[in-house]
Amino acid sequence: MARYDNILEVEPDLDGAELRIGIVMSRFNANVSEGLLGACTAELVKRGVQESGMLLVTVPGALEIPLALQRMALTDQFDALVALGAVIRGDTYHFEVVANQSASGVAAVQLDTGIPVANGILTADTDDQALARMSQKGVEVAQVALEMANLLRELDEVTQ
C-alpha cells in the first residue's frame, strides 16, 4: 500500500516464482538445523520457489557458513541465500565467539557481493529455546530471502 500518491515506492514482494535460492546449513546442532531447513524450504515452496530452484549445501558448523555463502554468491547463480544453523550457549566463552563471528561473516558476504543473505543462525541459551524457535525462524528467513531478492530486482528496474 503506497504511502504517497506522488512518490514511487517499492512494495514488499514475497513471490518466489523464478527465484533461485541457495541454502547453507550447519550440521552442528543438527536437530535444530534440520527443523530450520524444513520450515524454510516449506515456506519457499509455498511462495512459489521450485525445488529445482534451490541448492542446499551443508557445512560442519556456524563458523563455516560464511565461506560457503561467499562461494555461492560469487557464482551469480542465486537471487538470494539463506544461512541456517544454531549456536547454543555452553559453559565457555566459545558461544560468543561463534555467534558474533558467524553473524559478522554472513553480513559481510551480502555487503561484499550484493547478494541478499537471510541470517537464520539461531542463538539460544538452551536446546529447548532453539527447538521452540526453529519453525518460526525458518519461515521468517525464507520470507526475508524472497523479499530482498525481489526488492533488489525492483530497484534494478526502477534505477536504470
Side-chain angles (χ1 to χ4, degrees):
M1 180 166 143
R3 290 168 183 81
Y4 299 97
D5 291 333
N6 56 348
I7 298 175
L8 180 62
E9 186 173 345
V10 177
E11 298 287 336
D13 180 358
L14 298 178
D15 182 11
E18 310 280 328
L19 293 180
R20 296 159 301 153
I21 307 295
I23 302 168
V24 178
M25 181 186 79
S26 165
R27 295 187 304 271
F28 200 78
N29 294 313
N31 53 345
V32 177
S33 293
E34 290 288 343
L36 287 161
L37 178 64
C40 177
T41 56
E43 183 68 11
L44 291 172
V45 168
K46 174 183 165 186
R47 300 285 182 168
V49 178
Q50 299 296 311
E51 288 180 347
S52 61
M54 294 182 227
L55 174 65
L56 171 64
V57 173
T58 66
V59 295
L63 288 175
E64 292 74 37
I65 290 173
L67 181 59
L69 289 169
Q70 181 184 51
R71 183 60 57 94
M72 292 171 79
L74 292 174
T75 68
D76 266 344
Q77 304 256 330
F78 302 98
D79 298 297
L81 300 169
V82 176
L84 300 175
V87 182
I88 300 171
R89 187 179 300 280
D91 294 331
T92 69
Y93 181 72
H94 189 65
F95 168 85
E96 283 84 3
V97 171
V98 174
N100 292 336
Q101 291 303 308
S102 63
S104 293
V106 168
V109 168
Q110 73 175 348
L111 293 174
D112 291 347
T113 66
I115 303 295
V117 181
N119 188 347
I121 303 173
L122 282 177
T123 54
D125 288 327
T126 66
D127 289 333
D128 288 341
Q129 285 178 349
L131 290 167
R133 293 176 53 207
M134 69 184 179
S135 293
Q136 182 63 34
K137 186 65 166 181
V139 169
E140 290 170 356
V141 294
Q143 292 173 352
V144 166
L146 297 175
E147 182 174 341
M148 291 304 296
N150 287 319
L151 171 67
L152 293 184
R153 279 186 173 184
E154 183 71 21
L155 285 174
D156 286 345
E157 289 177 20
V158 299
T159 59
Q160 290 185 6

